[in-house]
Amino acid sequence: MSTTNLAAYLSQSSIPPRLAEVLAAVAKGCVEISAQVRRGAAGQIMGALGSENVQGEVQQKLDVLSNDILLALCAKAEGLSAMASEEMETIHPVREVGPEGGYLLLFDPLDGSSNIAVNVSIGTIFSILPTPADSSGRAVTEADFLQPGRHQVAAGYVVYGPQTQMVLTVGDGVCAFTLDPECDDWVLTNPAMAIPAETKEFAINTANTRHWAAPVSRYVEECLAGVEGPRGKDFNMRWVASMVADVHRVITRGGVFMYPWDKREPNRPGKLRLMYEANPMALLVEQAGGASFDGVGDTLDAEVTSLHQRASVMMGSKAEIARLRDYHAA
Ligand code: P6P
């Protein structure tokens, strides 16, 4: 089937209709979020709310607005049983799980929102899990969400940059859609995104250099040593400080995105969240031919013990992640 836009893509027989309905609702919500983001200071939605989210981070007005948009629109999708968000401490039940099962939607409604005030790209990240087999006929609990990333049936992000783009996987490769603002249609602009195995770009916040574990320091030092060093080639460093923008670049042209464990908070695996940041991005990267590593094993195999748990994140070009794994095993 020649799919020209998201609606055509979601109508493919390989995608269960109720999953397609959830994805269409997320996409519709992101069109509305895109419009609010683009209005910026011209609207009444800029600035901080003076409140903090469950992570103790200052909430921007757009964080809460984006969260509310997704809650309202996605609750209408018949197959959706419950939602969870970076902006909410507890899960948001929607309806009892039907006899045929249902879906759990997790999202970071507006990742990188500290960049809003300086007009740098931000994004929405989403992940869809199946309801557990034994959940039919009952309400969903938080424990039902605590599934490894490999259980995801779909994942994606929307990057609000010079273009608004959605990058999506339903487990059969990765495709990209570009929002045509003249008709609010998601046009299929890349049917098969593929991450080059090799790269010359890495993304990490080098302000944290002195806090990194030795394998990460070794990897970055070798990149910085360039053509005279063991890598025998020069590298570029990029850091947007917006995961969606950095990972989008990696999926588009290769590279490595890293927010690894560091010794500032030794008991904390990393800054980023597993369930609605690391896992959806890891599925996309793997589906695009890359790899994702949390310092111990594949991100998607990480044990899940709590909804808002954090993770050490290294993902991108396959050969580079293999090198990082070797350095961690040395
Ligand atoms: P730092 C944004 O706040 C975020 O959660 C990710 O989008 C981004 O990659 C990271 O934090 C940036 O963190 O410490 O460089 O500001």
Side-chain angles (χ1 to χ4, degrees):
M1 161 188 270
S2 68
T3 55
T4 54
N5 65 6
L6 182 65
Y9 177 81
L10 293 178
S11 68
Q12 295 179 83
S13 58
S14 58
I15 301 177
R18 294 183 318 133
L19 173 59
E21 189 185 8
V22 175
L23 289 168
V26 172
K28 187 175 180 183
C30 291
V31 171
E32 199 171 325
I33 293 169
S34 179
Q36 294 293 346
V37 167
R38 301 216 170 294
R39 291 188 68 204
Q44 303 306 312
I45 42 79
M46 293 292 279
L49 276 173
S51 54
E52 291 186 344
N53 65 13
V54 64
Q55 324 292 339
E57 293 171 339
V58 173
Q59 283 184 307
Q60 302 294 320
K61 289 177 186 172
L62 261 176
D63 283 323
V64 175
L65 178 60
S66 302
N67 195 65
D68 292 348
I69 288 169
L70 290 172
L71 289 178
L73 281 173
C74 295
K76 296 174 184 171
E78 287 300 318
L80 191 59
S81 304
M83 294 182 257
S85 163
E86 180 192 63
E87 299 301 327
M88 303 185 302
E89 184 157 5
T90 57
I91 68 168
H92 182 88
V94 176
R95 57 177 59 81
E96 269 195 10
V97 181
E100 68 282 26
Y103 296 104
L104 306 175
L105 173 65
L106 302 95
F107 48 81
D108 180 355
L110 207 59
D111 179 71
S113 53
S114 59
N115 285 309
I116 295 172
V118 292
N119 197 20
V120 167
S121 297
I122 50 184
T124 298
I125 309 171
F126 57 92
S127 168
I128 300 180
L129 290 165
T131 51
D134 66 353
S135 60
S136 295
R138 63 169 173 81
V140 166
T141 65
E142 181 168 307
D144 292 326
F145 279 81
L146 307 187
Q147 303 177 42
R150 218 164 281 289
H151 286 193
Q152 294 172 100
V153 293
Y157 60 79
V158 174
V159 52
Y160 309 107
Q163 309 130 48
T164 292
Q165 286 191 299
M166 174 184 283
V167 173
L168 174 66
T169 183
V170 292
D172 181 22
V174 177
C175 49
F177 301 86
T178 301
L179 181 65
D180 181 342
E182 292 184 3
C183 56
D184 279 351
D185 190 22
W186 293 98
V187 178
L188 181 67
T189 44
N190 189 333
M193 298 191 82
I195 302 180
E198 311 282 340
T199 185
K200 293 183 179 179
E201 277 188 336
F202 67 94
I204 193 167
N205 183 342
T206 49
N208 301 326
T209 297
R210 67 188 185 283
H211 305 305
W212 295 333
V216 172
S217 298
R218 175 183 174 189
Y219 178 84
V220 174
E221 283 161 12
E222 290 182 354
C223 290
L224 296 176
V227 67
E228 297 86 17
R231 299 301 305 272
K233 61 183 181 179
D234 290 337
F235 281 74
N236 263 335
M237 193 281 282
R238 293 284 183 274
W239 190 248
V240 183
S242 174
M243 184 186 197
V244 175
D246 279 314
V247 173
H248 184 64
R249 185 192 56 255
V250 167
I251 292 181
T252 303
R253 68 183 190 206
V256 180
F257 171 82
M258 295 175 277
Y259 212 118
W261 171 94
D262 68 50
K263 56 180 181 247
R264 287 176 292 175
E265 292 189 53
N267 297 325
R268 193 177 83 162
K271 172 179 184 181
L272 303 178
R273 292 84 178 179
L274 179 64
M275 297 301 288
Y276 38 79
E277 291 177 333
N279 271 342
M281 291 305 203
L283 184 64
L284 288 161
V285 163
E286 276 203 9
Q287 284 287 317
S292 181
F293 177 56
D294 66 4
V296 174
D298 287 10
T299 301
L300 294 175
D301 296 329
E303 183 189 3
V304 182
T305 54
S306 70
L307 192 59
H308 298 291
Q309 76 184 62
R310 297 176 190 264
S312 175
V313 177
M314 293 166 268
M315 55 175 68
S317 293
K318 203 160 202 170
E320 298 303 314
I321 298 300
R323 179 181 293 270
L324 274 160
R325 290 185 82 122
D326 289 347
Y327 291 178
H328 279 75

